Amino acid sequence: MATTLVQGQGTRLGFYSTTCPNAESIVKSTVQSHFRSNPAIAPGLLRMHFHDCFVHGCDASILIDGPNTEKTAPPNRLIPGYNVIDDAKTQLEAACPGVVSCADILALAARDSVVLTSGRSWQVPTGRRDGRVSLASDTSNLPGFRESIDSQKKKFADFGLNTQDLVTLVGAHTIGTTACQLFSYRLYNFTANGPDPTIDSRFVSQLQALCPQNGSNGGRRVDLDTGSANRFDTTFFTNLRNGRGILESDQKLWTDASTRPIVQQFLGVRGLRALNFNVEFGRSMVKMGNIGVKTGTEGEIRRVCTAIN
């Protein structure tokens, strides 16, 4: 099904096999080089690709500089890794001028980031072209950290992604960090009785120590997957089961009856058909990577990823 969808959209495996045969290896080596000095670029590039695809499709519109572009919006402003894409593009332009799109670089870099954090690789169809429209206001379509599961499901369904895709792709939070200001409200006066009751009570005090009430460190970074933030694995789902999800929207994957069984399948709960997180993640990423792609005469191949030709 995924292959049919891919080819129907105009992307395909090995799109650059004759026009730029080293394209994928150039992207891979660039991501590896930056990762060695700054591991935060791995979750950054993964998030960047997701945020790109959910706004105007996977067309690298998130990379465009300028006032009021997607890159300037709060969800995108502090994502690490934009320089990695720029670096890869510079090298690709030297090797194959005007051939490889920024959208494809981002899709490949997201895959390479998972591999660098001990996740499994998958084949990335390529052939996307770059978009010309980038508006900060359009990022309101991105799922939010307080969002209900029903609302998240609708946003995913609008792009042809089902509930399993939702749980799988949110599982990308197995790597990376978030800021205190995006979840500290759960720790104090969430209800009349105090903290969010879905958080394990022993965990609350740990988080309060990191993010004091009315503290000045709202920008402090906290691991999204406690105890395994640098490794692409299923510990994120274990933490949800144990009431240790950091973002409210993440923890809801466990408390909501429609998504909990999928989390349990990733955890290998007896009586349910087990799902392999690494395998399913690759499948869901291929589906997501075909949202609204521009091919053929649509879009352009940007010579510099931060500027429209």
Side-chain angles (χ1 to χ4, degrees):
M1 178 60 199
T3 306
T4 308
L5 183 68
V6 166
Q7 292 175 341
Q9 294 266 355
T11 58
R12 58 183 170 84
L13 297 175
F15 184 84
Y16 299 110
S17 58
T18 55
T19 55
C20 193
N22 293 325
E24 294 201 22
S25 61
I26 289 171
V27 173
K28 182 179 179 180
S29 62
T30 305
V31 175
Q32 285 176 329
S33 173
H34 283 267
F35 179 79
R36 280 194 288 271
S37 58
N38 181 16
I41 60 111
L45 291 168
L46 195 50
R47 190 164 303 151
M48 198 184 296
H49 181 43
F50 176 88
H51 286 196
D52 181 44
C53 292
F54 266 58
V55 182
H56 298 300
C58 309
D59 67 350
S61 53
I62 193 172
L63 304 176
I64 298 172
D65 281 342
N68 304 312
T69 57
E70 290 172 41
K71 190 188 272 190
T72 67
N76 298 332
R77 204 164 42 223
L78 299 177
I79 297 178
Y82 288 109
N83 59 321
V84 182
I85 304 300
D86 295 339
D87 188 2
K89 181 60 171 172
T90 299
Q91 295 181 52
L92 285 164
E93 283 299 302
C96 325
V99 173
V100 182
S101 70
C102 300
D104 279 342
I105 296 172
L106 188 46
L108 293 166
R111 185 267 313 274
D112 296 337
S113 296
V114 170
V115 175
L116 284 168
T117 49
S118 305
R120 187 183 297 185
S121 188
W122 66 91
Q123 291 185 299
V124 177
T126 43
R128 301 165 188 79
R129 289 172 71 83
D130 300 324
R132 298 184 179 95
V133 177
S134 183
L135 298 169
S137 55
D138 289 336
T139 61
S140 60
N141 193 51
L142 292 170
F145 56 89
R146 281 180 140 153
E147 203 143 338
S148 70
I149 294 298
D150 282 346
S151 179
Q152 291 183 61
K153 284 197 291 192
K154 184 182 185 309
K155 287 185 175 180
F156 276 70
D158 286 345
F159 294 119
L161 300 172
N162 59 33
T163 305
Q164 183 176 309
D165 294 318
L166 161 61
V167 177
T168 304
L169 292 169
V170 173
H173 287 168
T174 177
I175 56 174
T177 62
T178 190
C180 284
Q181 62 198 18
L182 299 186
F183 70 89
S184 57
Y185 67 91
R186 302 179 67 207
L187 309 177
Y188 310 96
N189 306 317
F190 185 81
T191 68
N193 298 318
D196 183 341
T198 65
I199 308 176
D200 175 63
S201 57
R202 292 160 298 183
F203 193 44
V204 170
S205 57
Q206 292 179 41
L207 294 178
Q208 288 175 334
L210 293 171
C211 308
Q213 189 171 17
N214 304 320
S216 59
N217 55 352
R220 180 173 185 167
R221 307 302 295 184
V222 174
D223 293 344
L224 282 164
D225 184 6
T226 304
S228 182
N230 299 313
R231 189 175 180 85
F232 199 90
D233 57 20
T234 58
T235 309
F236 170 75
F237 297 114
T238 304
N239 279 327
L240 298 186
R241 181 180 62 192
N242 295 335
R244 290 174 166 245
I246 301 296
L247 299 179
E248 184 182 356
S249 54
D250 286 354
Q251 190 59 48
K252 284 173 177 172
L253 294 178
W254 180 257
T255 57
D256 190 280
S258 67
T259 49
R260 183 189 296 187
I262 301 167
V263 175
Q264 292 175 315
Q265 285 178 283
F266 284 135
L267 292 174
V269 171
R270 278 194 300 184
L272 294 174
R273 180 176 64 89
L275 288 174
N276 182 300
F277 176 51
N278 269 288
V279 171
E280 298 305 326
F281 192 80
R283 287 176 180 161
S284 291
M285 285 291 283
V286 169
K287 285 177 70 174
M288 186 190 78
N290 279 296
I291 294 173
V293 296
K294 296 163 179 64
T295 57
T297 56
E298 301 172 307
E300 63 184 11
I301 303 297
R302 269 184 242 145
R303 294 301 184 105
V304 177
C305 290
T306 55
I308 301 166
N309 288 348

